[in-house]
Amino acid sequence: MPYKQFEEYNIQVTDDVKERYKNIIEDLGEDTTRDGLLKTPERAAKAMQFLTQGYHQDPVEILKSAMFKESYNEMVIVKDIELYSLCEHHILPFFGKVHMAYIPNGHIVGLSKLPRIVDVFARRLQVQERLTEQILDCINDTLKPQGVAVVIEAAHMCMMMRGVQKQNSITTTSGFRGQFEKNETRNEFLKLIGK
C-alpha cells in the first residue's frame, strides 16, 4: 500500500487563526474574496499549525521509544539532517543542515529518532542558538552518553529578504558536551563532518 500522508488539525484553532489571517490580508490592502485568496487564510492557518507542531510532541519520549542496550562505545554521527524552522522574531523561515554525534554509554538509539528530535524542536518558533542547545541537551539528558556534539548551519530569510538583505550568509552554531569538550574528540567530529 502506498504511503498516505494524513494531517489532522484542531478545527477551533484553524477557524480562529483563519479569521486572523483573513484580517491581516485585508489590512495589508488585499481582497480576500478574489479567487486566488479565497482559501488562503485557511491554508495559512493549517500551515502554521504544521510548522509549529513541535509544541505538541515530546522529544524525550521519542528517544526513549528506540533506546537499546549496546556495548558499542565509539562515535555515532548523523550529518546533513535537513532543518526547517521559523525565526521567532519575524516568523520567517530559516533552513539548513544539522550535524550531530554521540558516544554511547551503554545505550544506542534508533538512527531515525535523531532527525525526529531535530524536527520536534525546529517545528516551534525558534532562534538557532536555542535550537542547538535544545537538541544537544535532550540527547545528553535522555541517552546519558559519554558525549554529544551538535552543529547547525542555516540560512535565515529574515536576513535575506528584509533587513540587511544578505543573500549568501550562513549562520553556524555548535554545542558540545562530555567527551566532545576535549579538543581531540571535537576535532575528529568536525573533520568527519567536513568542517
Side-chain angles (χ1 to χ4, degrees):
M1 181 174 183
Y3 174 77
K4 182 178 180 182
Q5 186 171 357
F6 178 71
E7 295 177 4
E8 190 173 313
Y9 299 98
N10 180 307
I11 294 170
Q12 182 64 46
V13 171
T14 301
D15 288 344
D16 290 347
V17 175
K18 176 175 75 172
E19 280 307 306
R20 291 186 179 107
Y21 269 116
K22 182 179 179 193
N23 292 334
I24 290 168
I25 293 167
E26 289 171 349
D27 287 347
L28 294 172
E30 256 296 357
D31 176 7
T32 56
T33 63
R34 71 176 175 85
D35 280 347
L37 291 177
L38 279 175
K39 293 189 177 183
T40 297
E42 181 177 354
R43 285 191 296 261
K46 288 178 177 178
M48 189 56 69
Q49 287 178 78
F50 177 82
L51 294 172
T52 60
Q53 65 185 303
Y55 290 116
H56 307 291
Q57 297 172 328
D58 185 344
V60 172
E61 286 305 311
I62 290 170
L63 283 179
K64 286 182 175 179
S65 73
M67 283 177 60
F68 308 100
K69 286 187 178 187
E70 190 62 53
S71 62
Y72 184 82
N73 63 358
E74 300 294 330
M75 197 180 300
V76 177
I77 299 173
V78 181
K79 65 180 190 172
D80 297 329
I81 299 167
E82 296 171 7
L83 161 73
Y84 301 95
S85 192
L86 291 175
C87 167
E88 70 181 33
H89 300 141
H90 302 97
I91 312 183
L92 288 173
F94 67 94
F95 56 93
K97 293 181 179 181
V98 178
H99 315 287
M100 63 173 67
Y102 74 99
I103 301 172
N105 191 19
H107 287 91
I108 60 170
V109 68
L111 294 176
S112 69
K113 302 308 179 198
L114 296 172
R116 287 199 60 204
I117 296 307
V118 170
D119 286 345
V120 168
F121 290 116
R123 296 295 191 207
R124 301 174 181 189
L125 299 181
Q126 275 291 9
V127 294
Q128 185 173 330
E129 297 87 344
R130 182 186 323 115
L131 177 59
T132 304
E133 195 166 70
Q134 287 175 330
I135 295 167
L136 186 73
D137 288 342
C138 180
I139 295 168
N140 193 55
D141 296 345
T142 307
L143 285 181
K144 301 192 184 328
Q146 296 178 56
V148 183
V150 175
V151 172
I152 298 179
E153 303 170 296
H156 292 251
M157 297 305 285
C158 58
M159 286 183 61
M160 298 167 74
M161 290 180 68
R162 59 165 310 284
V164 296
Q165 298 181 52
K166 300 302 176 202
Q167 306 307 308
N168 299 307
S169 63
I170 299 293
T171 301
T172 302
T173 52
S174 63
F176 305 95
R177 298 285 187 275
Q179 292 295 319
F180 287 97
E181 293 175 291
K182 296 178 181 177
N183 283 335
E184 183 180 351
T185 310
R186 181 184 308 177
N187 289 341
E188 179 184 351
F189 165 68
L190 294 173
K191 181 179 178 184
L192 289 169
I193 66 169
K195 304 296 162 211

